Amino acid sequence: MLDKDMKEHIFTAKELVINQLIQKAYSVKSPGLLYGKMGIALSLFDYGRHMGCAVFSDLGDELTDGILDDVECKTGFDFATGLPGIAWGIEYLAQQGYVECDTNQVCAEIDRRMERLCVHRLNDLSLETGLEGLLHYLLARLQGALSQSGNIPFSADFLQEVQFTINNIEESHLSDSLNKLADAFHALMHIGSKNIYIPDISSFIVVQSFPEDVETAPLGLRKGLAGWLYKDI
């Protein structure tokens, strides 16, 4: 039975959110960054560091291990739910010092499959399913590779195709965010600049207010509870 103090405890909004993430994260089907397990894992890592509590980081670690074990050929090429977002999450963890690993090795299969993408046919410029998301992935991976070993994980032909695609976008179609990513990609490719791209989760979050019903709210990073948790980190 619950003692008197437990019965009278009124849970804070943050406690309610954490409880939902812990209870339901393992049953989330999507492994992806913006709406799936990877985004939830990153939020737990960051929250654990913020609170000085290793329990949350351990949960994030378990989720990440499961994601890498379960990534299959059917996982798509979009940043929101697919391979590039997962690789971005791995780079974020490594560059933030949450894990120690050779990201070229961990992401080798993802990188190999991403190189099959016909970038010059990519008419979608969006973050979730288009070029903007692809550039976030490439910049995070290139930044990580240059910092760790200097070995670029992509072929010159693939990177040239990306640059060609960027150069052929009509200026009127370039959003501010995409323009900044394009400039960063150019700097990495032609100047060899390091530390020009810093993985930033906050730029992916669009959730604004606390949900009316926590138990039925989406869990993901972009529009769900994992993203809401960042409001106070």
Side-chain angles (χ1 to χ4, degrees), residues 74-147:
K74 63 183 179 181
T75 306
F77 294 92
D78 61 285
F79 189 73
T81 65
L83 297 172
I86 292 171
W88 188 96
I90 298 300
E91 279 294 349
Y92 178 82
L93 292 174
Q95 293 179 36
Q96 291 293 319
Y98 288 117
V99 299
E100 293 184 9
C101 66
D102 181 345
T103 54
N104 277 359
Q105 181 177 351
V106 175
C107 297
E109 178 61 19
I110 292 177
D111 295 337
R112 185 182 68 81
R113 286 161 61 183
M114 288 301 298
E115 280 202 303
R116 299 174 184 172
L117 187 66
C118 295
V119 182
H120 64 279
R121 296 181 180 177
L122 190 62
N123 297 319
D124 185 346
L125 303 183
S126 71
L127 168 69
E128 297 198 4
T129 57
L131 183 62
E132 185 169 333
L134 177 65
L135 288 178
H136 273 291
Y137 152 71
L138 290 173
L139 287 166
R141 288 288 295 114
L142 290 168
Q143 186 71 61
L146 289 171
S147 299

Side-chain angles (χ1 to χ4, degrees), residues 36-53:
K37 286 182 180 177
M38 180 56 78
I40 296 170
L42 300 191
S43 70
L44 290 172
F45 271 106
D46 281 350
Y47 185 71
R49 175 177 286 179
H50 175 70
M51 297 298 293
C53 181

Side-chain angles (χ1 to χ4, degrees), residues 158-225:
F158 177 69
L159 294 175
Q160 287 172 5
E161 183 181 1
V162 174
Q163 187 67 70
F164 174 84
T165 302
I166 293 171
N167 292 341
N168 282 275
I169 300 173
E170 292 184 21
E171 189 171 346
S172 60
H173 294 166
L174 276 172
S175 64
D176 289 342
S177 56
L178 182 55
N179 195 40
K180 289 178 181 177
L181 292 170
D183 287 345
F185 184 82
H186 176 81
L188 271 173
M189 289 296 92
H190 298 281
I191 306 173
S193 303
K194 293 184 179 181
N195 301 319
I196 198 165
Y197 176 83
I198 300 175
D200 178 19
I201 288 177
S202 64
S203 64
F204 303 147
I205 299 171
V206 297
V207 64
Q208 297 293 328
S209 58
F210 189 70
E212 292 183 5
D213 187 352
V214 178
E215 293 187 359
T216 60
L219 302 181
L221 183 67
R222 187 153 176 80
K223 297 179 180 179
L225 298 181

